Amino acid sequence: MQSVDQLKELHRKRFAAEPAVFAAPGRVNLIGEHTDYAEGFVMPAAIDFATLAAISPRNDGRVVLWAENFSEERTFPLASLPGSRTGEWSDYPLGVLQMLAADGHPIPALSLTLWGDVPLGSGLSSSASVEVATASAVTGLLGIKIPGPELAQLCQRAENEFVGANCGIMDQFVSANGAADHALLLDCRDLSYRLAPIPKNLALVIANTMVRHSIAGGEYGTRRAEVELACTILARHRPQIRFLRDATIADLERWGDEIPEAARKRARHIITENTRTVEAARALETNDLARLGQLMHEAHVSYSRDFEASCAEADLMVELANKLHGLIGARLTGGGFGGCTVNLVEQQAAQDFKVQLAANYQKQTGIHPEIYVCHASDGTRRLG
Ligand code: ADP
Ligand code: MG
């Protein structure tokens, strides 16, 4: 994480005002892929890469945003904040301001400095960390407290409606409500959640394959349609099945013949992934790391073979990890077709694991992967 003192100094120099500082982390999903829109379970952890937001009041009726990562300033008159996106980084904080205003919170004139170390566009959700950091900073300045789950929903609306990105609730939720040394099991149906302890001697090693296959965009829509088709067919027999969250493997065995093969496989992934995700939380709670590793492995195989959302590079990254010392479990995380794998690794082996995984991956693909050694961290908070 960036230094709070350095950030305060930056803010003081630029705005001649003493700021309050807030942090909001990025995240990695340990297990539960494509289950969110089936009203199922996900289990992410907040990580120790974060966006910091320094904030102070102004008396000139303006909102001034400074992005230290880009060395860019944007100034807006408070009386006419932009009502639509421009495609720039300022959309994220502006979207949050607009959603706060829409909820009846009067936005004051303010100076906001953003500075983060969440890698941008690498699947660790720097966007959610910017939104949640901004929301924490502005509510802090207003002296109001919005409960974490509500803050997350507000930030999701900012991203869906203002930024125009169709994301689920997971990223903002764990950035707002995560806890150090814990994963967060989230029920996407009602947003109830519980924290499951990750042993302190484990690291979250995130390995970026550095590839993102261009089919990703279109395939996402196809997958969703297939999942919905399977759900509709099962619901003809059992109307209680509103989403695949409500279906069981027994349902699929009984009526699966009626579902086209691709949709049946997607459904099998969602149904088994929900069961695995809930069981993975129990494995953490009972410190059954062997079981947890097995569940992560099964989740990867299911994501790769049934959901067909992996790719050669991600399969290779998981296969190489499986051969290394200290690994508990590895799988492709995120939307699929590339991106990062998440590896639960014994802390004392993590550095060697990182070096060897990078070397072996590079040897076979010619691609140098970025690998981050992270730990589960607290959700958004005031610093200093
Ligand atoms: P990610 O997977 O990292 O969330 P996105 O494309 O959703 O990728 O979001 C990345 C965008 O979020 C960046 O292009 C930038 O506009 C914004 N962003 C992320 N971090 C920062 C930051 N520290 N300061 C300003 N904007 C940021
Ligand atoms: Mg994002």
Side-chain angles (χ1 to χ4, degrees):
M1 203 166 70
Q2 314 296 20
S3 141
V4 180
D5 290 338
Q6 250 176 296
L7 173 63
K8 281 188 167 172
E9 190 51 29
L10 274 169
H11 188 93
R12 269 189 220 113
K13 279 206 177 118
R14 176 157 289 275
F15 298 115
E18 186 59 31
V21 176
F22 298 79
R27 64 94 189 93
V28 66
N29 191 21
L30 286 179
I31 191 165
E33 225 60 80
H34 283 260
T35 44
D36 55 348
Y37 54 81
E39 295 207 344
F41 296 90
V42 294
M43 193 167 73
I47 55 175
D48 41 5
F49 289 128
T51 299
L52 302 190
I55 194 163
S56 59
R58 301 177 66 92
N59 52 20
D60 62 355
R62 290 171 188 213
V63 166
V64 183
L65 309 173
W66 172 258
E68 177 63 16
N69 294 76
F70 303 129
S71 290
E72 278 182 16
E73 186 173 277
R74 294 285 178 274
T75 300
F76 307 94
L78 191 55
S80 55
L81 286 180
S84 59
R85 60 178 161 268
T86 60
E88 298 185 288
W89 61 268
S90 48
D91 287 346
Y92 297 87
L94 279 175
V96 170
L97 293 181
Q98 289 292 12
M99 295 306 144
L100 281 167
D103 280 0
H105 302 294
I107 303 302
L110 58 87
S111 305
L112 184 77
T113 304
L114 293 168
W115 192 25
D117 63 355
V118 187
L120 272 59
S122 293
L124 303 185
S125 210
S126 66
S127 59
S129 74
V130 169
E131 291 148 10
V132 174
T134 303
S136 287
V138 177
T139 53
L141 184 65
L142 287 169
I144 57 172
K145 178 93 189 116
I146 297 180
E150 278 172 44
L151 197 76
Q153 285 174 288
L154 186 144
C155 291
Q156 184 199 11
R157 283 205 305 280
E159 184 143 350
N160 290 163
E161 294 168 25
F162 195 90
V163 176
N166 177 23
C167 63
I169 185 66
M170 169 169 72
D171 304 355
Q172 292 83 359
F173 199 93
V174 71
S175 183
N177 302 292
D181 303 317
H182 286 78
L184 188 156
L185 176 70
L186 175 65
D187 183 340
C188 296
R189 168 155 281 170
D190 59 8
L191 299 190
S192 59
Y193 71 99
R194 67 177 204 266
L195 297 166
I198 298 176
K200 281 193 202 311
N201 63 335
L202 296 186
L204 299 169
V205 181
I206 299 164
N208 193 339
T209 60
M210 313 303 278
V211 302
R212 159 92 43 211
H213 294 284
S214 55
I215 47 168
E219 293 288 312
Y220 182 83
T222 327
R223 292 296 180 283
R224 274 193 86 143
E226 287 164 342
V227 166
E228 273 155 32
L229 173 65
C231 186
T232 307
I233 293 170
L234 291 178
R236 279 185 207 141
H237 297 283
R238 219 160 58 77
Q240 300 92 316
I241 301 175
R242 289 195 295 121
F243 288 88
L244 279 186
R245 147 72 177 273
D246 305 305
T248 64
I249 279 296
D251 294 327
L252 204 59
E253 275 164 7
R254 205 155 156 209
W255 298 302
D257 287 351
E258 300 171 25
I259 306 174
E261 195 195 344
R264 187 168 68 235
K265 286 167 73 180
R266 311 308 178 235
R268 189 165 61 198
H269 168 75
I270 305 276
I271 294 169
T272 56
E273 185 81 346
N274 272 322
T275 311
R276 278 188 295 271
T277 303
V278 173
E279 205 192 328
R282 271 202 300 276
L284 279 176
E285 284 159 347
T286 55
N287 200 21
D288 189 348
L289 296 181
R291 182 66 190 140
L292 180 67
Q294 197 178 1
L295 288 164
M296 287 176 76
H297 180 70
E298 287 169 13
H300 181 76
V301 172
S302 172
Y303 203 31
S304 180
R305 303 214 185 126
D306 276 349
F307 213 71
E308 296 182 86
S310 188
C311 59
E313 294 87 350
D315 284 345
L316 175 68
M317 192 74 93
V318 167
E319 191 192 310
L320 293 172
N322 282 331
K323 292 181 189 149
L324 293 177
H325 172 70
L327 181 85
I328 306 293
R331 54 174 285 279
L332 172 61
T333 184
F337 310 103
C340 297
T341 66
V342 57
N343 305 268
L344 210 53
V345 181
E346 287 165 14
Q347 176 62 43
Q348 61 197 32
Q351 210 50 41
D352 284 350
F353 179 92
K354 170 182 165 166
V355 171
Q356 285 174 39
L357 185 60
N360 296 347
Y361 183 78
Q362 183 157 8
K363 195 153 67 188
Q364 298 219 19
T365 61
I367 305 168
H368 177 72
E370 272 168 28
I371 302 187
Y372 313 104
V373 178
C374 304
H375 301 89
S377 93
D378 280 324
T380 190
R381 60 211 180 271
R382 188 173 173 166
L383 298 175

